[in-house]
Amino acid sequence: MPRTAETASFKFNHTMLRVKDPKMSLAFYQDILGMDLLSKQDFSDFTLYFLAFNHEGKDLTAKEKEATRFSREGVLELTHNHGTESDSNFQGYASGNTDPGKGFGHIAITVDDVEKACERFEKLGVAFKKKPSDGKMKNIAFILDPDGYWIEVVPGVLNL
Amino acid sequence: MPRTAETASFKFNHTMLRVKDPKMSLAFYQDILGMDLLSKQDFSDFTLYFLAFNHEGKDLTAKEKEATRFSREGVLELTHNHGTESDSNFQGYASGNTDPGKGFGHIAITVDDVEKACERFEKLGVAFKKKPSDGKMKNIAFILDPDGYWIEVVPGVLNL
């Protein structure tokens, strides 16, 4: 049961990350991870991109994608502050995993076959923080998105 | 349709944030936001807490909660590095929204009634970054979790 009636409608809708270059990020999240772009919101100084995995197997219209943006969980919001992509003085965003700036850790995707997913990532030129074969935990990996954010790759079924 | 067969199984499973004091964080995420603790994983130097909203309205056994941890979206992982809660030299974690350390932005919860949810948060002593009445966007708010991470509160239905 939901813990209280007052919070029964609550959902963990999205996580927001700032990105330097939306072309690089969209190529990564759409073509390599396989997320769909649900919505693009243009403002004068910035643009927001909302992405999510389409599990339902339905082809959604643009209007349905837009409507689903706030009605589901597992949405990723990417914020692009205009100009960072071509600013040679821009230092890049903190990944959250080193000081100063430590706090945020990572996002994680579950996949049916970590080994196979990682072989494909490697072929597509994705940078790894930890390959499945590194370290003690053989069945998890960490890849890096174009800004250096860590993405954990874990099996979607846990063997208890 | 999923974009490719190779990514059809992928889910955006969780987002990980480091927290200073799990007692404070669990009180916030469980009692104020209404999330359920799915799993607690103890290691020698750190403990992981996995939380999610229970939308299904079913009472899950501990084993079912543990199994659901990697089979759904919308999971929040909190990492507690032992000792930070009582270390007077600990500076706290970066929220991701100020330099240095900027990159991560926020997590967001959708609710059926932003105004009502925020009245309840206020009664419960939650700190606000932006109340619904502040600024131009009257129907969204930002609250702060015990570590100062921003949590956007947005309506779960978008009027197009």
Side-chain angles (χ1 to χ4, degrees):
Chain A
M1 295 292 289
R3 295 178 68 85
T4 72
E6 293 154 307
T7 64
S9 75
F10 292 14
K11 285 184 184 173
F12 177 7
N13 172 244
H14 72 250
T15 295
M16 190 279 265
L17 301 175
R18 293 176 181 85
V19 299
K20 176 185 172 177
D21 184 342
K23 271 190 203 164
M24 302 280 284
S25 299
L26 289 174
F28 178 84
Y29 285 102
Q30 290 185 291
D31 302 336
I32 297 178
L33 288 199
M35 295 179 104
D36 272 347
L37 184 65
L38 297 178
S39 175
K40 177 174 180 268
Q41 304 281 314
D42 284 307
F43 296 86
S44 56
D45 299 339
F46 63 95
T47 300
L48 308 178
Y49 299 87
F50 292 86
L51 297 124
F53 288 108
N54 177 2
H55 307 293
E56 313 251 322
K58 280 192 291 187
D59 285 314
L60 301 177
T61 63
K63 201 172 170 181
E64 284 168 336
K65 284 185 187 177
E66 182 61 38
T68 204
R69 174 160 72 102
F70 289 117
S71 66
R72 59 169 287 172
E73 299 198 311
V75 175
L76 180 66
E77 178 185 5
L78 302 179
T79 296
H80 171 229
N81 291 307
H82 299 163
T84 51
E85 73 284 7
S86 55
D87 177 0
S88 57
N89 291 319
F90 180 69
Q91 301 285 315
Y93 289 118
S95 77
N97 292 299
T98 48
D99 287 316
K102 206 169 176 174
F104 170 66
H106 60 259
I107 60 172
I109 56 164
T110 47
V111 306
D112 58 359
D113 187 329
V114 171
E115 199 69 41
K116 217 163 131 183
C118 288
E119 278 169 24
R120 178 174 161 273
F121 293 149
E122 208 163 348
K123 264 186 224 156
L124 294 170
V126 172
F128 280 78
K129 175 75 191 170
K130 177 202 175 302
K131 294 191 180 181
S133 56
D134 295 339
K136 281 184 196 167
M137 300 179 78
K138 300 296 180 201
N139 208 18
I140 69 163
F142 278 92
I143 57 175
L144 301 178
D145 94 340
D147 287 275
Y149 294 118
W150 295 16
I151 302 174
E152 190 178 9
V153 183
V154 273
V157 176
L158 184 67
N159 295 312
L160 293 172
Chain B
M1 296 292 291
R3 296 177 67 85
T4 72
E6 292 155 308
T7 63
S9 74
F10 292 15
K11 287 184 183 173
F12 178 7
N13 172 243
H14 71 250
T15 296
M16 190 279 264
L17 301 175
R18 293 177 182 86
V19 299
K20 177 185 173 176
D21 185 341
K23 271 190 202 163
M24 302 280 284
S25 299
L26 289 174
F28 179 83
Y29 285 101
Q30 290 184 292
D31 302 336
I32 297 178
L33 288 199
M35 296 179 103
D36 272 347
L37 183 65
L38 297 179
S39 174
K40 176 174 181 269
Q41 303 282 313
D42 284 307
F43 297 86
S44 56
D45 299 338
F46 63 95
T47 301
L48 309 178
Y49 299 87
F50 292 85
L51 297 123
F53 289 109
N54 177 2
H55 307 291
E56 313 251 322
K58 280 190 290 188
D59 286 314
L60 302 177
T61 63
K63 200 172 170 182
E64 284 167 337
K65 284 185 186 175
E66 182 62 37
T68 205
R69 172 159 73 101
F70 289 116
S71 66
R72 60 168 287 172
E73 298 198 314
V75 175
L76 180 66
E77 178 185 4
L78 302 178
T79 296
H80 172 229
N81 291 307
H82 299 163
T84 51
E85 72 284 8
S86 55
D87 177 0
S88 56
N89 292 318
F90 180 68
Q91 302 285 314
Y93 289 118
S95 77
N97 292 300
T98 48
D99 287 315
K102 206 169 177 173
F104 169 68
H106 59 259
I107 60 172
I109 56 165
T110 47
V111 306
D112 58 358
D113 187 329
V114 171
E115 199 69 43
K116 216 164 132 183
C118 288
E119 279 169 23
R120 178 172 161 273
F121 292 150
E122 209 163 350
K123 264 186 223 155
L124 294 170
V126 172
F128 280 78
K129 176 73 190 171
K130 178 202 175 302
K131 294 192 180 180
S133 56
D134 295 339
K136 282 184 195 168
M137 300 179 80
K138 301 295 179 203
N139 208 16
I140 69 163
F142 278 93
I143 56 175
L144 301 178
D145 94 340
D147 287 275
Y149 294 117
W150 295 16
I151 301 175
E152 190 178 10
V153 183
V154 274
V157 176
L158 184 67
N159 295 312
L160 292 174

